[in-house]
Amino acid sequence: MDSPLLQEIPILKLAEVHSKPDKQAMAYGTAGFRGKASKMDHIFFRMGMLAVLRSKMLKSAIGVMVTASHNPVLDNGVKLIDPCGEMLVESWEVIATGLANASNDDLVKELKKIVAKENIDLSQTATILLARDTRPSSLSLSNAVQDGISALGGTCRNYGLLTTPQLHYIVSCYNDGVKDADEDTYYKWFSSAFKTLVNEPPVNSNVTVDCANGVGAPKLNKLYEHIGANVIDIIIHNDGEGCGKLNEKCGADYVKIQQRAPIGLNMEPFHRYASFDGDADRIVYYSLDCDCNFVLLDGDKIASLITLYIKELLDESKVDVKLGMVQTAYANGNSTRYVTDTLNVMVACARTGVKHLHHKAVEFDIGVYFEANGHGTVTVKEECSNVIERAAKDDKLPAKQKDAAIKLKTFLDVINKTVGDAMSDMLAVEAILHAKGWSVREWAQLYTDLPNRQLKVTVADRTVIRTTDSERRTTSPEGLQEEIDKLVALFPNGRSFVRPSGTEDVVRVYAESDTQEHADSLAKKVSILIYEKAGGVGEKPKEESA
Ligand code: G16
């Protein structure tokens, strides 16, 4: 009997509507496919089909998120979410790239190849949970995903506008048996966990949140309504209602890279500010010190604060589990030293991309993982959750010990364990500051960042840069690493690395040194080197004249 896949006509009809332009190739990058929205319709259609195949294979619902997160407003992107709410497994990224790049004529052949290779039973049902961000192109591109889903006979539950981490959370709830899980399920869970933590007394100072003119603004507003203004005071900035554009001079990426406030924000010393990115999966905090210097509290500072708090509660509760932290090469050297030497917690290093950090984090009983750009969360092994829960209920324990276990349990409830989540991370930070009676001043003083700089270089083909050692060293082009080493040696406490971005068509350059001037100069010199050795295009980076 013919399998549903062999009903080629409906597939081909829809494939014609979502036809692939000739000679266009894309790869599943750091967080899915990303690029100019106007050139990606066929990719969204094909990812709808791929999600159906994955759902049939795993007999679970699969998520599809339409977003390009921190990228400019005219870009878009798509990524698949696996059943527990985690990123798509890496082996399927290769399959996704193959399907995205198959010619129109080879599309059905490519689908059949996937079915055969992965041994997919096409008689299985498939459920796809779909959501999108607020980009102008997101609605039509999510319609393309829906066409892909119906082409292979899958069922689509379309949640409309959501933040990326909300969809990750809903996918995990759905596959856990909560079939009616939706946005409200998210708000109810996180607002209730937060209120349990901080209700008495409530948070008494406000936090201003730049939502990058993205989907985070309406969603944070809803979360705020669930928590209540009597518990937390949130002021939303860049809510997308004015003339500001998504991620333009605002949002977590802008604030982190430029090390300055987003557009239109008049900052006051010691006030708490936070920025989300376009789909609210990243968050950075910042403030002004008494001399009105900009103070950034990035992903490293958030991770350090969370690790410190969990460590304190583990020590107080005497719960004996293995706590660890995971960072990337971008982590500020002093954050790694603080966590290793002062907190005495083990730090592992992973490649850029939360999927890589997540995999390493789950090796610990409790794994705190964050990229310096503010993307991260905490993972907890199930056995570890059970140990904490038992301690929290154990009346034989001394009151202080039991109380710490209760606090730890409630704190971990406020975390979205599926993926980095700006809203849930914000609640975690607010809860810790509240518990410790700290302002941003005490938090900032945990350690002093080594001055650093990040730059981008455009080259003809960024894949000529290959890296090793968690992206800390290059293996190609030949001789490049030796040249970088020579430049680094010129600067006290110098460190620099380069890597091709997986979300933008650029090579990223990171440098740190003892002073901002030195970090800037090292970053510039390395950028020039990349331009010369790796086929730079456009304007060549210049050294600032003294
Ligand atoms: C995505 C990934 C992050 C990564 C960032 C930049 O973030 O989820 O893990 O750090 O891209 O990646 P790259 O340097 O390879 O361009 P987002 O917030 O854009 O989804």
Side-chain angles (χ1 to χ4, degrees), residues 403-424:
D403 191 44
I406 294 172
K407 276 194 198 148
L408 182 56
K409 184 199 165 303
T410 328
F411 176 72
L412 293 173
D413 282 347
V414 121
I415 303 279
N416 182 348
K417 297 175 195 71
T418 60
V419 80
D421 180 342
M423 289 200 281
S424 120

mmCIF file with all atom_site columns, all heavy atoms in Angstrom, residues 403-424:
data_model
loop_
_atom_site.group_PDB
_atom_site.id
_atom_site.type_symbol
_atom_site.label_atom_id
_atom_site.label_alt_id
_atom_site.label_comp_id
_atom_site.label_asym_id
_atom_site.label_entity_id
_atom_site.label_seq_id
_atom_site.pdbx_PDB_ins_code
_atom_site.Cartn_x
_atom_site.Cartn_y
_atom_site.Cartn_z
_atom_site.occupancy
_atom_site.B_iso_or_equiv
_atom_site.pdbx_formal_charge
_atom_site.auth_seq_id
_atom_site.auth_comp_id
_atom_site.auth_asym_id
_atom_site.auth_atom_id
_atom_site.pdbx_PDB_model_num
ATOM 1   N N   . ASP A 1 403 ? 14.732 24.839 56.171 1.00 0.00 ? 403 ASP A N   1
ATOM 2   C CA  . ASP A 1 403 ? 14.306 26.088 55.547 1.00 0.00 ? 403 ASP A CA  1
ATOM 3   C C   . ASP A 1 403 ? 15.117 26.376 54.267 1.00 0.00 ? 403 ASP A C   1
ATOM 4   O O   . ASP A 1 403 ? 14.560 26.790 53.233 1.00 0.00 ? 403 ASP A O   1
ATOM 5   C CB  . ASP A 1 403 ? 14.497 27.225 56.563 1.00 0.00 ? 403 ASP A CB  1
ATOM 6   C CG  . ASP A 1 403 ? 13.826 28.481 56.089 1.00 0.00 ? 403 ASP A CG  1
ATOM 7   O OD1 . ASP A 1 403 ? 12.694 28.374 55.613 1.00 0.00 ? 403 ASP A OD1 1
ATOM 8   O OD2 . ASP A 1 403 ? 14.457 29.561 56.170 1.00 0.00 ? 403 ASP A OD2 1
ATOM 9   N N   . ALA A 1 404 ? 16.422 26.104 54.338 1.00 0.00 ? 404 ALA A N   1
ATOM 10  C CA  . ALA A 1 404 ? 17.278 26.327 53.156 1.00 0.00 ? 404 ALA A CA  1
ATOM 11  C C   . ALA A 1 404 ? 16.860 25.388 52.017 1.00 0.00 ? 404 ALA A C   1
ATOM 12  O O   . ALA A 1 404 ? 16.847 25.783 50.843 1.00 0.00 ? 404 ALA A O   1
ATOM 13  C CB  . ALA A 1 404 ? 18.740 26.126 53.521 1.00 0.00 ? 404 ALA A CB  1
ATOM 14  N N   . ALA A 1 405 ? 16.502 24.158 52.377 1.00 0.00 ? 405 ALA A N   1
ATOM 15  C CA  . ALA A 1 405 ? 16.065 23.198 51.342 1.00 0.00 ? 405 ALA A CA  1
ATOM 16  C C   . ALA A 1 405 ? 14.753 23.671 50.711 1.00 0.00 ? 405 ALA A C   1
ATOM 17  O O   . ALA A 1 405 ? 14.564 23.568 49.491 1.00 0.00 ? 405 ALA A O   1
ATOM 18  C CB  . ALA A 1 405 ? 15.908 21.811 51.947 1.00 0.00 ? 405 ALA A CB  1
ATOM 19  N N   . ILE A 1 406 ? 13.858 24.223 51.541 1.00 0.00 ? 406 ILE A N   1
ATOM 20  C CA  . ILE A 1 406 ? 12.584 24.731 50.995 1.00 0.00 ? 406 ILE A CA  1
ATOM 21  C C   . ILE A 1 406 ? 12.861 25.893 50.039 1.00 0.00 ? 406 ILE A C   1
ATOM 22  O O   . ILE A 1 406 ? 12.314 25.955 48.932 1.00 0.00 ? 406 ILE A O   1
ATOM 23  C CB  . ILE A 1 406 ? 11.637 25.195 52.143 1.00 0.00 ? 406 ILE A CB  1
ATOM 24  C CG1 . ILE A 1 406 ? 11.227 23.988 52.989 1.00 0.00 ? 406 ILE A CG1 1
ATOM 25  C CG2 . ILE A 1 406 ? 10.416 25.926 51.600 1.00 0.00 ? 406 ILE A CG2 1
ATOM 26  C CD1 . ILE A 1 406 ? 10.465 24.329 54.260 1.00 0.00 ? 406 ILE A CD1 1
ATOM 27  N N   . LYS A 1 407 ? 13.762 26.789 50.472 1.00 0.00 ? 407 LYS A N   1
ATOM 28  C CA  . LYS A 1 407 ? 14.081 27.947 49.617 1.00 0.00 ? 407 LYS A CA  1
ATOM 29  C C   . LYS A 1 407 ? 14.683 27.491 48.292 1.00 0.00 ? 407 LYS A C   1
ATOM 30  O O   . LYS A 1 407 ? 14.356 28.017 47.228 1.00 0.00 ? 407 LYS A O   1
ATOM 31  C CB  . LYS A 1 407 ? 15.093 28.853 50.325 1.00 0.00 ? 407 LYS A CB  1
ATOM 32  C CG  . LYS A 1 407 ? 14.467 29.823 51.276 1.00 0.00 ? 407 LYS A CG  1
ATOM 33  C CD  . LYS A 1 407 ? 15.474 30.882 51.658 1.00 0.00 ? 407 LYS A CD  1
ATOM 34  C CE  . LYS A 1 407 ? 15.026 31.580 52.914 1.00 0.00 ? 407 LYS A CE  1
ATOM 35  N NZ  . LYS A 1 407 ? 16.118 32.016 53.751 1.00 0.00 ? 407 LYS A NZ  1
ATOM 36  N N   . LEU A 1 408 ? 15.564 26.497 48.374 1.00 0.00 ? 408 LEU A N   1
ATOM 37  C CA  . LEU A 1 408 ? 16.216 26.011 47.151 1.00 0.00 ? 408 LEU A CA  1
ATOM 38  C C   . LEU A 1 408 ? 15.184 25.397 46.207 1.00 0.00 ? 408 LEU A C   1
ATOM 39  O O   . LEU A 1 408 ? 15.179 25.676 45.002 1.00 0.00 ? 408 LEU A O   1
ATOM 40  C CB  . LEU A 1 408 ? 17.295 24.984 47.513 1.00 0.00 ? 408 LEU A CB  1
ATOM 41  C CG  . LEU A 1 408 ? 18.097 24.405 46.359 1.00 0.00 ? 408 LEU A CG  1
ATOM 42  C CD1 . LEU A 1 408 ? 18.762 25.508 45.534 1.00 0.00 ? 408 LEU A CD1 1
ATOM 43  C CD2 . LEU A 1 408 ? 19.167 23.434 46.854 1.00 0.00 ? 408 LEU A CD2 1
ATOM 44  N N   . LYS A 1 409 ? 14.288 24.611 46.770 1.00 0.00 ? 409 LYS A N   1
ATOM 45  C CA  . LYS A 1 409 ? 13.248 23.979 45.946 1.00 0.00 ? 409 LYS A CA  1
ATOM 46  C C   . LYS A 1 409 ? 12.404 25.060 45.259 1.00 0.00 ? 409 LYS A C   1
ATOM 47  O O   . LYS A 1 409 ? 12.173 25.011 44.053 1.00 0.00 ? 409 LYS A O   1
ATOM 48  C CB  . LYS A 1 409 ? 12.362 23.069 46.806 1.00 0.00 ? 409 LYS A CB  1
ATOM 49  C CG  . LYS A 1 409 ? 11.344 22.335 45.994 1.00 0.00 ? 409 LYS A CG  1
ATOM 50  C CD  . LYS A 1 409 ? 10.193 21.812 46.800 1.00 0.00 ? 409 LYS A CD  1
ATOM 51  C CE  . LYS A 1 409 ? 9.039  21.418 45.925 1.00 0.00 ? 409 LYS A CE  1
ATOM 52  N NZ  . LYS A 1 409 ? 8.491  22.435 45.040 1.00 0.00 ? 409 LYS A NZ  1
ATOM 53  N N   . THR A 1 410 ? 11.984 26.052 46.031 1.00 0.00 ? 410 THR A N   1
ATOM 54  C CA  . THR A 1 410 ? 11.125 27.092 45.446 1.00 0.00 ? 410 THR A CA  1
ATOM 55  C C   . THR A 1 410 ? 11.904 27.915 44.424 1.00 0.00 ? 410 THR A C   1
ATOM 56  O O   . THR A 1 410 ? 11.355 28.307 43.394 1.00 0.00 ? 410 THR A O   1
ATOM 57  C CB  . THR A 1 410 ? 10.593 28.043 46.549 1.00 0.00 ? 410 THR A CB  1
ATOM 58  O OG1 . THR A 1 410 ? 10.429 27.311 47.734 1.00 0.00 ? 410 THR A OG1 1
ATOM 59  C CG2 . THR A 1 410 ? 9.297  28.690 46.146 1.00 0.00 ? 410 THR A CG2 1
ATOM 60  N N   . PHE A 1 411 ? 13.182 28.163 44.729 1.00 0.00 ? 411 PHE A N   1
ATOM 61  C CA  . PHE A 1 411 ? 13.980 28.943 43.771 1.00 0.00 ? 411 PHE A CA  1
ATOM 62  C C   . PHE A 1 411 ? 14.092 28.194 42.436 1.00 0.00 ? 411 PHE A C   1
ATOM 63  O O   . PHE A 1 411 ? 13.929 28.793 41.360 1.00 0.00 ? 411 PHE A O   1
ATOM 64  C CB  . PHE A 1 411 ? 15.383 29.212 44.338 1.00 0.00 ? 411 PHE A CB  1
ATOM 65  C CG  . PHE A 1 411 ? 16.270 29.916 43.355 1.00 0.00 ? 411 PHE A CG  1
ATOM 66  C CD1 . PHE A 1 411 ? 16.059 31.250 43.037 1.00 0.00 ? 411 PHE A CD1 1
ATOM 67  C CD2 . PHE A 1 411 ? 17.290 29.235 42.698 1.00 0.00 ? 411 PHE A CD2 1
ATOM 68  C CE1 . PHE A 1 411 ? 16.843 31.898 42.088 1.00 0.00 ? 411 PHE A CE1 1
ATOM 69  C CE2 . PHE A 1 411 ? 18.078 29.870 41.753 1.00 0.00 ? 411 PHE A CE2 1
ATOM 70  C CZ  . PHE A 1 411 ? 17.851 31.211 41.447 1.00 0.00 ? 411 PHE A CZ  1
ATOM 71  N N   . LEU A 1 412 ? 14.323 26.901 42.512 1.00 0.00 ? 412 LEU A N   1
ATOM 72  C CA  . LEU A 1 412 ? 14.484 26.142 41.261 1.00 0.00 ? 412 LEU A CA  1
ATOM 73  C C   . LEU A 1 412 ? 13.173 26.075 40.469 1.00 0.00 ? 412 LEU A C   1
ATOM 74  O O   . LEU A 1 412 ? 13.190 25.908 39.256 1.00 0.00 ? 412 LEU A O   1
ATOM 75  C CB  . LEU A 1 412 ? 15.036 24.738 41.557 1.00 0.00 ? 412 LEU A CB  1
ATOM 76  C CG  . LEU A 1 412 ? 16.481 24.747 42.094 1.00 0.00 ? 412 LEU A CG  1
ATOM 77  C CD1 . LEU A 1 412 ? 16.913 23.356 42.525 1.00 0.00 ? 412 LEU A CD1 1
ATOM 78  C CD2 . LEU A 1 412 ? 17.478 25.321 41.087 1.00 0.00 ? 412 LEU A CD2 1
ATOM 79  N N   . ASP A 1 413 ? 12.037 26.257 41.155 1.00 0.00 ? 413 ASP A N   1
ATOM 80  C CA  . ASP A 1 413 ? 10.743 26.290 40.452 1.00 0.00 ? 413 ASP A CA  1
ATOM 81  C C   . ASP A 1 413 ? 10.590 27.535 39.581 1.00 0.00 ? 413 ASP A C   1
ATOM 82  O O   . ASP A 1 413 ? 9.791  27.553 38.644 1.00 0.00 ? 413 ASP A O   1
ATOM 83  C CB  . ASP A 1 413 ? 9.582  26.269 41.462 1.00 0.00 ? 413 ASP A CB  1
ATOM 84  C CG  . ASP A 1 413 ? 9.343  24.881 42.009 1.00 0.00 ? 413 ASP A CG  1
ATOM 85  O OD1 . ASP A 1 413 ? 9.901  23.919 41.441 1.00 0.00 ? 413 ASP A OD1 1
ATOM 86  O OD2 . ASP A 1 413 ? 8.609  24.761 43.006 1.00 0.00 ? 413 ASP A OD2 1
ATOM 87  N N   . VAL A 1 414 ? 11.329 28.582 39.920 1.00 0.00 ? 414 VAL A N   1
ATOM 88  C CA  . VAL A 1 414 ? 11.199 29.831 39.169 1.00 0.00 ? 414 VAL A CA  1
ATOM 89  C C   . VAL A 1 414 ? 12.010 29.803 37.869 1.00 0.00 ? 414 VAL A C   1
ATOM 90  O O   . VAL A 1 414 ? 11.929 30.692 37.036 1.00 0.00 ? 414 VAL A O   1
ATOM 91  C CB  . VAL A 1 414 ? 11.609 31.007 40.110 1.00 0.00 ? 414 VAL A CB  1
ATOM 92  C CG1 . VAL A 1 414 ? 12.757 31.798 39.567 1.00 0.00 ? 414 VAL A CG1 1
ATOM 93  C CG2 . VAL A 1 414 ? 10.444 31.931 40.383 1.00 0.00 ? 414 VAL A CG2 1
ATOM 94  N N   . ILE A 1 415 ? 12.794 28.731 37.719 1.00 0.00 ? 415 ILE A N   1
ATOM 95  C CA  . ILE A 1 415 ? 13.686 28.601 36.552 1.00 0.00 ? 415 ILE A CA  1
ATOM 96  C C   . ILE A 1 415 ? 12.989 27.830 35.438 1.00 0.00 ? 415 ILE A C   1
ATOM 97  O O   . ILE A 1 415 ? 12.422 26.769 35.687 1.00 0.00 ? 415 ILE A O   1
ATOM 98  C CB  . ILE A 1 415 ? 14.961 27.819 36.948 1.00 0.00 ? 415 ILE A CB  1
ATOM 99  C CG1 . ILE A 1 415 ? 15.689 28.499 38.122 1.00 0.00 ? 415 ILE A CG1 1
ATOM 100 C CG2 . ILE A 1 415 ? 15.864 27.583 35.760 1.00 0.00 ? 415 ILE A CG2 1
ATOM 101 C CD1 . ILE A 1 415 ? 16.561 29.645 37.755 1.00 0.00 ? 415 ILE A CD1 1
ATOM 102 N N   . ASN A 1 416 ? 13.063 28.346 34.203 1.00 0.00 ? 416 ASN A N   1
ATOM 103 C CA  . ASN A 1 416 ? 12.621 27.593 33.029 1.00 0.00 ? 416 ASN A CA  1
ATOM 104 C C   . ASN A 1 416 ? 13.770 26.665 32.633 1.00 0.00 ? 416 ASN A C   1
ATOM 105 O O   . ASN A 1 416 ? 14.744 27.100 32.028 1.00 0.00 ? 416 ASN A O   1
ATOM 106 C CB  . ASN A 1 416 ? 12.274 28.550 31.887 1.00 0.00 ? 416 ASN A CB  1
ATOM 107 C CG  . ASN A 1 416 ? 11.755 27.810 30.658 1.00 0.00 ? 416 ASN A CG  1
ATOM 108 O OD1 . ASN A 1 416 ? 11.859 26.587 30.564 1.00 0.00 ? 416 ASN A OD1 1
ATOM 109 N ND2 . ASN A 1 416 ? 11.199 28.554 29.711 1.00 0.00 ? 416 ASN A ND2 1
ATOM 110 N N   . LYS A 1 417 ? 13.655 25.399 33.012 1.00 0.00 ? 417 LYS A N   1
ATOM 111 C CA  . LYS A 1 417 ? 14.799 24.490 32.859 1.00 0.00 ? 417 LYS A CA  1
ATOM 112 C C   . LYS A 1 417 ? 14.974 23.997 31.424 1.00 0.00 ? 417 LYS A C   1
ATOM 113 O O   . LYS A 1 417 ? 15.953 23.326 31.109 1.00 0.00 ? 417 LYS A O   1
ATOM 114 C CB  . LYS A 1 417 ? 14.657 23.305 33.811 1.00 0.00 ? 417 LYS A CB  1
ATOM 115 C CG  . LYS A 1 417 ? 14.676 23.792 35.257 1.00 0.00 ? 417 LYS A CG  1
ATOM 116 C CD  . LYS A 1 417 ? 14.428 22.679 36.238 1.00 0.00 ? 417 LYS A CD  1
ATOM 117 C CE  . LYS A 1 417 ? 14.095 23.226 37.600 1.00 0.00 ? 417 LYS A CE  1
ATOM 118 N NZ  . LYS A 1 417 ? 12.758 23.859 37.698 1.00 0.00 ? 417 LYS A NZ  1
ATOM 119 N N   . THR A 1 418 ? 14.023 24.320 30.543 1.00 0.00 ? 418 THR A N   1
ATOM 120 C CA  . THR A 1 418 ? 14.148 23.810 29.177 1.00 0.00 ? 418 THR A CA  1
ATOM 121 C C   . THR A 1 418 ? 15.183 24.592 28.373 1.00 0.00 ? 418 THR A C   1
ATOM 122 O O   . THR A 1 418 ? 15.863 24.047 27.522 1.00 0.00 ? 418 THR A O   1
ATOM 123 C CB  . THR A 1 418 ? 12.804 23.868 28.419 1.00 0.00 ? 418 THR A CB  1
ATOM 124 O OG1 . THR A 1 418 ? 12.363 25.227 28.347 1.00 0.00 ? 418 THR A OG1 1
ATOM 125 C CG2 . THR A 1 418 ? 11.746 23.029 29.088 1.00 0.00 ? 418 THR A CG2 1
ATOM 126 N N   . VAL A 1 419 ? 15.302 25.906 28.635 1.00 0.00 ? 419 VAL A N   1
ATOM 127 C CA  . VAL A 1 419 ? 16.158 26.756 27.794 1.00 0.00 ? 419 VAL A CA  1
ATOM 128 C C   . VAL A 1 419 ? 16.309 28.123 28.465 1.00 0.00 ? 419 VAL A C   1
ATOM 129 O O   . VAL A 1 419 ? 15.527 28.464 29.358 1.00 0.00 ? 419 VAL A O   1
ATOM 130 C CB  . VAL A 1 419 ? 15.504 26.918 26.389 1.00 0.00 ? 419 VAL A CB  1
ATOM 131 C CG1 . VAL A 1 419 ? 14.401 27.957 26.375 1.00 0.00 ? 419 VAL A CG1 1
ATOM 132 C CG2 . VAL A 1 419 ? 16.518 27.231 25.299 1.00 0.00 ? 419 VAL A CG2 1
ATOM 133 N N   . GLY A 1 420 ? 17.305 28.906 28.015 1.00 0.00 ? 420 GLY A N   1
ATOM 134 C CA  . GLY A 1 420 ? 17.456 30.264 28.542 1.00 0.00 ? 420 GLY A CA  1
ATOM 135 C C   . GLY A 1 420 ? 16.196 31.080 28.299 1.00 0.00 ? 420 GLY A C   1
ATOM 136 O O   . GLY A 1 420 ? 15.624 31.024 27.220 1.00 0.00 ? 420 GLY A O   1
ATOM 137 N N   . ASP A 1 421 ? 15.752 31.814 29.330 1.00 0.00 ? 421 ASP A N   1
ATOM 138 C CA  . ASP A 1 421 ? 14.465 32.504 29.261 1.00 0.00 ? 421 ASP A CA  1
ATOM 139 C C   . ASP A 1 421 ? 14.596 33.845 29.980 1.00 0.00 ? 421 ASP A C   1
ATOM 140 O O   . ASP A 1 421 ? 14.768 33.887 31.205 1.00 0.00 ? 421 ASP A O   1
ATOM 141 C CB  . ASP A 1 421 ? 13.412 31.604 29.941 1.00 0.00 ? 421 ASP A CB  1
ATOM 142 C CG  . ASP A 1 421 ? 12.017 32.218 29.940 1.00 0.00 ? 421 ASP A CG  1
ATOM 143 O OD1 . ASP A 1 421 ? 11.889 33.428 29.736 1.00 0.00 ? 421 ASP A OD1 1
ATOM 144 O OD2 . ASP A 1 421 ? 11.055 31.461 30.169 1.00 0.00 ? 421 ASP A OD2 1
ATOM 145 N N   . ALA A 1 422 ? 14.505 34.933 29.217 1.00 0.00 ? 422 ALA A N   1
ATOM 146 C CA  . ALA A 1 422 ? 14.710 36.262 29.813 1.00 0.00 ? 422 ALA A CA  1
ATOM 147 C C   . ALA A 1 422 ? 13.750 36.515 30.973 1.00 0.00 ? 422 ALA A C   1
ATOM 148 O O   . ALA A 1 422 ? 14.148 37.041 32.009 1.00 0.00 ? 422 ALA A O   1
ATOM 149 C CB  . ALA A 1 422 ? 14.532 37.329 28.734 1.00 0.00 ? 422 ALA A CB  1
ATOM 150 N N   . MET A 1 423 ? 12.471 36.135 30.808 1.00 0.00 ? 423 MET A N   1
ATOM 151 C CA  . MET A 1 423 ? 11.498 36.440 31.867 1.00 0.00 ? 423 MET A CA  1
ATOM 152 C C   . MET A 1 423 ? 11.768 35.614 33.119 1.00 0.00 ? 423 MET A C   1
ATOM 153 O O   . MET A 1 423 ? 11.781 36.156 34.225 1.00 0.00 ? 423 MET A O   1
ATOM 154 C CB  . MET A 1 423 ? 10.071 36.185 31.362 1.00 0.00 ? 423 MET A CB  1
ATOM 155 C CG  . MET A 1 423 ? 9.640  37.211 30.335 1.00 0.00 ? 423 MET A CG  1
ATOM 156 S SD  . MET A 1 423 ? 7.865  37.300 30.149 1.00 0.00 ? 423 MET A SD  1
ATOM 157 C CE  . MET A 1 423 ? 7.507  35.892 29.137 1.00 0.00 ? 423 MET A CE  1
ATOM 158 N N   . SER A 1 424 ? 12.002 34.329 32.954 1.00 0.00 ? 424 SER A N   1
ATOM 159 C CA  . SER A 1 424 ? 12.214 33.503 34.149 1.00 0.00 ? 424 SER A CA  1
ATOM 160 C C   . SER A 1 424 ? 13.569 33.830 34.781 1.00 0.00 ? 424 SER A C   1
ATOM 161 O O   . SER A 1 424 ? 13.700 33.865 36.016 1.00 0.00 ? 424 SER A O   1
ATOM 162 C CB  . SER A 1 424 ? 12.061 32.024 33.790 1.00 0.00 ? 424 SER A CB  1
ATOM 163 O OG  . SER A 1 424 ? 13.204 31.296 34.049 1.00 0.00 ? 424 SER A OG  1
#
